[in-house]
Amino acid sequence: MTGKDPRPPVAIPTLPAEEEYILPFTREIRVNEFPLADNVWLDYHDTNGDPATDRIFAVFSDGEIRSVARCRRHRDGLEVDGIFTPEAYRGKGYSRMAVGALVEACHNDDLYMYAVRHLVGFYAGFGFEPIRETELPAIIRERYTWAAGNLEGAEVQPMRRKAGFR
């Protein structure tokens, strides 16, 4: 053995900048990208992100946002909402990717939400459990005062995910 490798050197492949990825990937968006999430939410109750209180997770593909999920910090708890995938991108698992990234990043705190009833099973897959409305932090509960206690009529279910990994 001469100590020299007879094989020719192999170039180490490098990946392009994440914005150039074609395959979907998920990450928390940067403050300067909040307007991109706001644009996705135009078809979702005109929701807007606030860098002072929100962490927004997005699925990117072909340089565009395909789905978003938000975790908003209130003075008495963290609320998960704003989970939205535009119709053209539904059925590809993008919401699952966005919520999964959010739950992983925010696992140190209890997370609360009002889940649309037909999605309770979806959120249960991330460790969310149905709770009574009175178990929600007050400021989160206030968002549905218009329902006057009739959450069934509003077709939502309060849920909580306790802190920690599952």
Side-chain angles (χ1 to χ4, degrees):
M1 185 133 190
T2 64
K4 185 175 179 186
D5 190 338
R7 295 175 292 182
V10 177
I12 298 172
T14 59
L15 296 173
E18 62 189 8
E19 284 74 16
E20 296 175 18
Y21 286 168
I22 294 171
L23 295 175
F25 69 95
T26 309
R27 69 169 167 78
E28 185 169 358
I29 67 169
R30 300 172 187 105
V31 170
N32 66 327
E33 296 171 316
F34 271 55
L36 298 175
D38 293 347
N39 192 44
V40 172
W41 280 320
L42 284 175
D43 294 329
Y44 185 75
H45 315 295
D46 287 327
T47 300
N48 291 301
D50 180 351
T53 57
D54 298 344
R55 295 182 71 181
I56 302 172
F57 298 84
V59 177
F60 292 84
S61 183
D62 293 324
E64 294 181 6
I65 293 178
R66 301 293 195 221
S67 185
V68 290
R70 174 175 70 183
C71 181
R72 176 164 277 181
R73 182 170 294 283
H74 298 284
R75 69 179 175 271
D76 57 355
L78 296 180
E79 180 182 18
V80 175
D81 74 345
I83 299 159
F84 183 73
T85 302
E87 194 169 327
Y89 305 120
R90 292 181 185 164
K92 298 176 182 357
Y94 295 147
S95 288
R96 187 172 305 282
M97 292 172 67
V99 173
L102 181 154
V103 166
E104 182 178 336
C106 301
H107 73 274
N108 288 323
D109 294 286
D110 287 353
L111 302 174
Y112 297 91
M113 70 173 0
Y114 279 100
V116 177
R117 286 203 183 271
H118 74 273
L119 294 174
V120 167
F122 172 79
Y123 295 117
F126 295 98
F128 284 90
E129 299 174 335
I131 58 173
R132 293 183 316 276
E133 186 177 22
T134 56
E135 295 178 68
L136 289 169
I139 198 157
I140 297 170
R141 197 169 52 241
E142 286 173 14
R143 289 192 346 100
Y144 273 80
T145 54
W146 59 267
N150 184 12
L151 293 183
E152 192 168 313
E155 297 186 19
V156 294
Q157 170 63 55
M159 298 186 84
R160 174 184 57 224
R161 183 187 187 281
K162 291 186 178 180
F165 283 115
R166 308 269 178 284

